[in-house]
Amino acid sequence: MTATYRLITIPPSHYCEKARWALELAGVAYAEERHPPLLHLRAVRAAGGRHSTPVLRGHGVVLADSTDILEHLQRRHGERWSPYPLDSQRRLEAAELEEVFDTRLGPHTRRLAYFHLLQRRDLFLRSVLAGVGRGERMLFRALGPLPAFLMRRGMSITADGAARSLARVREVFAEVGERLAAGRPYLVAGAFTAADLSFAALAAPVILPQGYGAPLPSLDELPAEMLAVVEELRASPAGEFALRMYRDHR
Ligand SMILES: N[C@@H](CCC(=O)N[C@@H](CS)C(=O)NCC(=O)O)C(=O)O
């Protein structure tokens, strides 16, 4: 297959994972171009994006948001997998849940994970530099503590911020758990949709599932405090659900 799409990413980014996973389910060929945080800006702008990853470019489109990418896949490549149900009520439900996870879950799992990872330079570098080109790898290392400083400032990554984020994550996990309590296998209707994919991908930084599309730390190398969080969330009904989505659909 010829890769006619380019996907600009930050390797461990869970919004990028959302796009990668969807592209793969849709059976669409793409070439991923990985950049570390901050150094991603030049590549994002050159590809026609604003400041964030993922950016998907090709076939005459530039899409700078993960949800826009899923909607595009539905419109143009929906034969193998349809992210949104065809029934309009269910479609709305899936899109609303996706938005909830994009806005109320993603920023908090990210802040929580970075809070712990930034205290372990070895784990942090391995994760953000995975698959990055040699020049940017060297430059990122040469910048020393500056990227971590700017990331902490840009995302308010502090102990208080991480504690608030953990509370937000627990809230969304509880809501998802309640939704699944009726014994339903998926969040909307009887099929795997954008809602399930978004939840699992955006929960991934605190669940650390097998099959994630970029290297994440393994459980046995996590700082004790982060391990406790991951174990708690994995054991919840929503955490078990996210792990199952990875097992069955990734
Ligand atoms: N709503 C966006 C959010 C994407 C996002 O927050 N991406 C992060 C990586 S996890 C990013 O690129 N942050 C760097 C920046 O915004 O400068 C989407 O769904 O694509």
Side-chain angles (χ1 to χ4, degrees):
M1 262 193 301
T2 320
T4 46
Y5 281 110
R6 295 166 55 208
L7 184 70
I8 317 297
T9 67
I10 293 173
S13 157
H14 51 352
Y15 292 99
C16 296
E17 167 72 358
K18 191 182 146 190
R20 259 191 312 247
W21 189 352
L23 282 157
E24 282 158 32
L25 284 180
V28 169
Y30 70 99
E32 184 174 348
E33 298 173 17
R34 298 179 166 196
H35 303 273
L38 307 177
L39 303 186
H40 72 288
L41 282 170
R42 204 170 59 153
V44 161
R45 299 234 168 91
R50 293 181 293 271
H51 57 86
S52 66
T53 57
V55 178
L56 183 73
R57 188 182 173 111
H59 289 276
V61 299
V62 177
L63 301 164
D65 179 87
S66 63
T67 299
D68 292 348
I69 294 172
L70 267 66
E71 287 170 353
H72 172 74
L73 291 176
Q74 167 102 2
R75 275 194 306 274
R76 294 264 289 266
H77 305 280
E79 309 81 28
R80 279 239 312 244
W81 174 61
S82 178
Y84 305 96
L86 297 179
D87 170 82
S88 61
Q89 180 55 39
R90 288 176 167 168
R91 186 188 175 102
L92 192 67
E93 235 179 289
E96 278 173 3
L97 281 172
E98 179 181 20
E99 176 67 11
V100 164
F101 302 140
D102 280 353
T103 54
R104 289 182 49 215
L105 182 66
H108 295 292
T109 53
R110 176 175 58 199
R111 179 157 67 168
L112 198 47
Y114 273 136
F115 173 70
H116 295 290
L117 276 193
L118 285 171
Q119 300 174 37
R120 282 283 304 276
R121 188 165 165 82
D122 57 334
L123 298 182
F124 169 66
L125 287 181
R126 201 175 69 205
S127 165
V128 297
L129 296 181
V132 166
R134 190 175 139 81
E136 285 193 358
R137 262 200 334 262
M138 284 168 58
L139 176 56
F140 195 81
R141 283 180 184 279
L143 290 172
L146 184 65
F149 169 79
L150 293 174
M151 288 170 73
R152 283 197 175 96
R153 204 177 60 177
M155 290 181 261
S156 306
I157 301 174
T158 59
D160 277 358
R164 280 197 304 277
S165 283
L166 177 56
R168 295 281 132 10
V169 171
R170 284 182 176 137
E171 245 168 55
V172 175
F173 267 54
E175 288 166 22
V176 166
E178 273 168 34
R179 217 181 152 87
L180 296 167
R184 39 166 116 189
Y186 296 105
L187 290 170
V188 179
F192 181 78
T193 67
D196 308 292
L197 185 150
S198 301
F199 178 71
L202 297 175
V206 292
I207 294 289
L208 305 179
Q210 287 285 324
Y212 195 81
L216 293 177
S218 58
L219 289 187
D220 58 5
E221 58 192 1
L222 287 184
E225 205 188 329
M226 182 169 178
L227 179 62
V229 169
V230 171
E231 282 180 336
E232 172 201 318
L233 294 169
R234 276 182 164 211
S236 69
E240 284 178 1
F241 171 71
L243 291 171
R244 179 162 60 80
M245 293 303 101
Y246 265 89
R247 253 193 331 269
D248 294 352
H249 296 280
R250 186 71 175 100

